[in-house]
Amino acid sequence: MTAPHDPSGVHPVIGVDAGTTTLREADHLIRDLTTTLGLPPGTVACTHLIRTEGRRGTAVSLALPEKGSAEEVWRRLTATEMGAALDDRRHGPAEAAAAAAAEHAARRSGRAVLFPGSDQLTGTLTVADLLQLSAVDRVIVVGATSGETPDPVTPVHTQDHVRPEWREGQLILALVPAAANTLAPFEVPNPTPCCADHP
């Protein structure tokens, strides 16, 4: 990977709850926060589904590359009405934000939208290039029985939409077979909502 990425996992993580309900809204929130909070290079931003008695929707987490940038982002967040959590600090309605931050910090879950190298994953790349250019640790093929990593020269049609997930400490991208012995990310951009064609 050519982008700066510390695989140790020791990064300050801030959880943010802006009341988003869908993954698409959370993706847009991350893009907005990148600009409004001035997120530095090396930030890993993830979405998290929240299912509690008081909240159904999504929250986001931001793993900052170092403590100084985390403190600056925290200062800017506390000037907003969004819920936020950093370590034991809370701002606003922060239950969902704290849950998202804890999951990301432990690298148990989180759907990465922004991560080192994510801007390089456009068009068609080989599996080897995808792994080399980004913070993605591993790729898996959904439904593959062998459990083996696909051939490094296999083309991956990114559709300019790559969303790996934290699983057991690794950032893993799920792929599916596509036409002509190629692969594509399991998650597609702008999916048709279930039952969209029904009244």
Side-chain angles (χ1 to χ4, degrees):
M1 127 122 243
T2 57
H5 174 64
D6 175 9
S8 71
V10 182
H11 300 278
V13 179
I14 299 174
V16 180
D17 184 3
T20 55
T21 57
T22 67
L23 291 175
R24 178 181 244 172
E25 289 174 2
D27 282 10
H28 287 294
L29 174 62
I30 287 172
R31 299 294 180 210
D32 290 345
L33 292 177
T34 299
T35 303
T36 59
L37 299 177
L39 297 179
T43 298
V44 178
C46 296
T47 64
H48 302 264
L49 294 175
I50 303 297
R51 301 289 183 258
T52 64
E53 280 188 34
R55 175 91 164 82
R56 297 260 190 249
T58 56
V60 302
S61 60
L62 311 170
L64 285 301
E66 45 86 28
K67 188 147 182 67
S69 58
E71 290 299 328
E72 181 59 26
V73 168
W74 176 256
R75 185 186 65 73
R76 291 177 183 160
L77 272 172
T78 57
T80 73
E81 294 182 11
M82 290 183 272
L86 172 61
D87 299 324
D88 60 351
R89 292 180 273 177
R90 303 290 183 266
H91 173 74
E95 180 184 1
E103 288 297 304
H104 187 155
R107 294 183 170 198
R108 283 188 298 261
S109 71
R111 175 182 158 272
V113 175
L114 175 67
F115 52 94
S118 59
D119 60 332
Q120 301 294 309
L121 304 182
T122 60
T124 300
L125 305 166
T126 65
V127 168
D129 287 342
L130 187 148
L131 294 171
Q132 175 64 31
L133 292 169
S134 74
V136 174
D137 294 306
R138 190 163 62 97
V139 297
I140 60 168
V141 178
V142 176
T145 56
S146 67
E148 292 180 20
T149 301
D151 188 320
V153 299
T154 304
V156 178
H157 299 291
T158 69
Q159 303 176 73
D160 301 340
H161 186 86
V162 177
R163 300 293 187 265
E165 296 182 4
W166 287 115
R167 294 184 194 171
E168 300 177 356
Q170 292 188 311
L171 200 54
I172 298 175
L173 179 63
L175 300 170
V176 293
N181 295 317
T182 64
L183 297 167
F186 176 76
E187 181 179 324
V188 296
N190 305 316
T192 303
C194 177
C195 305
D197 58 346
H198 299 287

